[in-house]
């Protein structure tokens, strides 16, 4: 079975630009969560979606937005990029339990 | 105070050693608990869920103490391949949200 997939794997952007990251969950999983991980820290929760509805939002500015599509895939959008947005962005999918399974991540570098 | 606190390490142990990690969490409403393993520049991988009765998976044993709000992970007979960062994770059901809260991780280096 395919695991969680994310694209792109790496991305370099300039300050002020916009970025869209994509995620496809494990087949049968209806919930997708997004996390940001900066070097030396654990992942920080950004958003959770279930059946296309936002279920929760972490402590991130409004420049961060996301959505989930009918096929349960998801996009994370970040506007007006700052240097501090450079991080590994992780997508996790979950089924009926609390267990979440992560994709390989998108490594974003903002210059 | 962080919601989930771990000793960052590193823990440097020889092959075959037994090593234990602890973590504490601050939200008494936390309902689910996990240990994830993360290799350098890779995604976290679920190592094991942690149950109130304690649970074991091969060389790994996890314990939960709800009264003291701490979670432990014991690794017996350490292998070189166990070298990684171990993340303590808690989950709280809050208005339908099942987000995970991660500690900063404990780094383990197993040496030959």
């Amino acid at each position: 079975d395919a695991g969680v997939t994310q694209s792109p794997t790496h991305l370099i952007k300039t300050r002020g630009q916009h970025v869209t990251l994509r995620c496809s969950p494990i087949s049968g999983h209806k919930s997708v969560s997004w996390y940001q991980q900066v070097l030396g820290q654990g992942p920080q929760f950004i958003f959770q979606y279930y059946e296309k509805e936002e279920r929760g939002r972490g402590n991130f500015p409004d420049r961060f937005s996301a959505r989930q599509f009918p096929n349960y895939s998801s996009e994370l959008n970040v506007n007006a990029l700052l240097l501090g947005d450079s991080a590994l962005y992780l997508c996790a999918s979950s089924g009926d339990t609390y267990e979440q399974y992560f994709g390989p991540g998108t490594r974003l570098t903002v210059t | 105070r962080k919601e989930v606190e771990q000793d960052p390490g590193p823990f440097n142990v020889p092959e075959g050693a037994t090593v234990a990690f602890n973590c504490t969490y601050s939200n008494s409403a936390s309902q689910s608990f996990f240990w994830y393993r993360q290799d350098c520049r890779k995604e976290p991988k679920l190592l094991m869920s942690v149950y109130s009765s304690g649970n074991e998976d091969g060389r790994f044993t996890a314990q939960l103490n709800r009264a003291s709000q701490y979670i432990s992970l014991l690794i017996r007979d350490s292998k070189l391949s166990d070298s990684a960062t171990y993340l303590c994770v808690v989950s709280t059901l809050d208005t339908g949200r099942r987000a995970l809260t991660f500690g900063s991780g404990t780094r383990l280096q197993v040496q030959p």
Side-chain angles (χ1 to χ4, degrees):
Chain A
D1 284 344
V4 179
T5 59
Q6 291 186 244
S7 63
T9 54
H10 295 84
L11 204 51
I12 299 175
K13 290 286 190 178
T14 304
R15 275 179 299 177
Q17 287 188 315
H18 161 269
V19 68
T20 297
L21 311 181
R22 295 178 176 84
C23 169
S24 291
I26 292 169
S27 177
H29 284 189
K30 299 179 180 178
S31 180
V32 169
S33 300
W34 287 94
Y35 295 82
Q36 180 197 65
Q37 186 175 25
V38 298
L39 200 62
Q41 298 294 319
Q44 297 293 312
F45 172 71
I46 310 176
F47 284 108
Q48 185 176 74
Y49 277 79
Y50 176 78
E51 294 264 18
K52 299 181 291 178
E53 299 282 328
E54 182 183 304
R55 282 292 181 91
R57 181 184 185 119
N59 188 23
F60 280 80
D62 290 344
R63 298 184 296 108
F64 289 76
S65 63
R67 56 180 175 166
Q68 187 177 32
F69 299 99
N71 66 354
Y72 305 114
S73 67
S74 178
E75 282 182 355
L76 175 70
N77 295 284
V78 187
N79 292 324
L81 286 166
L82 303 174
L83 295 178
D85 295 331
S86 295
L88 179 66
Y89 288 86
L90 294 158
C91 172
S93 81
S94 55
D96 295 331
T97 69
Y98 279 93
E99 295 175 350
Q100 295 188 13
Y101 298 90
F102 286 84
T106 294
R107 192 164 298 280
L108 172 65
T109 302
V110 182
T111 63
Chain B
R1 182 186 174 191
K2 291 183 180 179
E3 286 190 59
V4 180
E5 300 217 44
Q6 296 181 249
D7 180 345
F11 284 58
N12 295 302
V13 302
E15 272 187 289
T18 295
V19 62
F21 307 138
N22 294 323
C23 100
T24 58
Y25 61 95
S26 61
N27 187 344
S28 59
S30 296
Q31 297 171 308
S32 297
F33 309 88
F34 308 94
W35 284 100
Y36 278 75
R37 171 202 167 117
Q38 187 171 28
D39 293 291
C40 187
R41 300 181 73 81
K42 299 285 191 181
E43 74 273 24
K45 291 189 187 296
L46 179 64
L47 181 65
M48 57 198 304
S49 301
V50 187
Y51 304 114
S52 297
S53 55
N55 47 302
E56 187 174 309
D57 182 2
R59 298 181 294 108
F60 299 84
T61 301
Q63 296 278 353
L64 167 65
N65 186 320
R66 286 187 183 269
S68 302
Q69 294 182 204
Y70 83 78
I71 308 155
S72 65
L73 177 68
L74 183 76
I75 305 176
R76 291 180 299 278
D77 189 22
S78 298
K79 312 290 185 192
L80 293 175
S81 57
D82 293 334
S83 298
T85 295
Y86 290 83
L87 298 161
C88 177
V89 185
V90 305
S91 179
T92 306
L93 183 59
D94 175 17
T95 60
R97 175 187 117 170
R98 290 181 176 179
L100 301 179
T101 301
F102 285 78
S104 295
T106 298
R107 194 155 63 90
L108 171 66
Q109 183 66 47
V110 181
Q111 296 164 336

